[in-house]
Amino acid sequence: QHRQSGREPMVAGATACWSHKTLKEIAQVYRDMPKGSTSGERGRCEDRAHATEEVTTSLCLKKHLDVDAYPARDDELREFVTIAKIKEVLTWNRTEQGEWWFWKGKPEGAGEMEECCAVRPIGLHKYKMTNEILEMENQFFGERDNSDYKKLNARTKRYVDKVRKAMGIDE
């Protein structure tokens, strides 16, 4: 949805969910794809210099398997997958910040700020360090009011509380 008009939709690198059949078939496409091009993005399914995972994956899925990417949103238009750390995404406001690339292609009424993200998230992006992942696990699934939870700002605590409630963590 963040791609230019007429281009294949982007598959977010944070989380890609494929059926067993799709995974098996795309693996063969990747094995057989042309390799070594040194030019930039050309709208082709190829392994090349400066390739982006999202563009290449989208092009290959569409061209070879006729599979389209589609938005992962709940019934309230909240995202199941974030593209930045949750504390940042919870501050993104379409009205105040304007129509920057993140909002391009999103429907009117798409969740923003504290209503940006589904309460049963599938993928939270930009957490790469082991300590960040362990802290996040403790915040969402650890004992209530643990030391990692206490590090969160008020806005992020409210989101974490919604997730914990939806998942029955504190019951």
Side-chain angles (χ1 to χ4, degrees):
Q1 73 193 15
H2 302 302
R3 303 292 303 153
Q4 297 172 348
S5 178
R7 300 304 298 266
E8 299 305 323
M10 177 171 56
V11 174
T15 305
C17 303
W18 297 347
S19 69
H20 179 75
K21 181 179 187 283
T22 300
L23 182 59
K24 182 178 179 182
E25 291 178 12
I26 200 67
Q28 189 60 49
V29 169
Y30 288 154
R31 281 192 287 276
D32 297 341
M33 73 183 347
K35 295 171 179 55
S37 174
T38 57
S39 59
E41 182 184 337
R42 303 183 305 169
R44 297 182 185 171
C45 176
E46 63 185 354
D47 185 7
R48 60 181 161 39
H50 310 290
T52 59
E53 173 190 352
E54 290 86 358
V55 174
T56 301
T57 300
S58 299
L59 290 166
C60 295
L61 284 169
K62 182 63 179 170
K63 178 180 178 184
H64 294 281
L65 306 181
D66 197 29
V67 171
D68 289 305
Y70 62 93
R73 295 189 192 103
D74 68 12
D75 292 341
E76 296 178 41
L77 302 178
R78 299 175 301 190
E79 305 278 340
F80 281 111
V81 179
T82 67
I83 62 165
K85 290 188 176 183
I86 194 68
K87 69 180 182 180
E88 296 167 15
V89 178
L90 291 169
T91 67
W92 294 352
N93 182 317
R94 190 177 202 166
T95 304
E96 290 181 16
Q97 296 172 334
E99 293 289 318
W100 54 289
W101 70 263
F102 175 75
W103 298 108
K104 185 177 181 180
K106 289 191 191 289
E108 284 299 317
E112 57 185 289
M113 298 188 66
E114 290 189 48
E115 293 304 314
C116 67
C117 308
V119 295
R120 291 182 171 269
I122 295 172
L124 303 175
H125 203 22
K126 299 284 186 185
Y127 296 91
K128 300 185 188 291
M129 304 302 295
T130 302
N131 65 312
E132 291 178 316
I133 295 167
L134 293 173
E135 284 177 2
M136 186 170 52
E137 179 182 18
N138 203 25
Q139 291 159 354
F140 284 104
F141 303 107
E143 292 294 319
R144 186 85 180 136
D145 294 325
N146 63 65
S147 61
D148 291 321
Y149 176 88
K150 289 179 180 179
K151 293 178 187 177
L152 300 172
N153 65 37
R155 179 176 286 153
T156 308
K157 280 182 184 176
R158 287 190 294 270
Y159 175 71
V160 168
D161 289 344
K162 289 179 190 177
V163 172
R164 291 174 68 96
K165 180 178 180 183
M167 297 179 125
I169 302 299
D170 296 320
E171 294 176 359

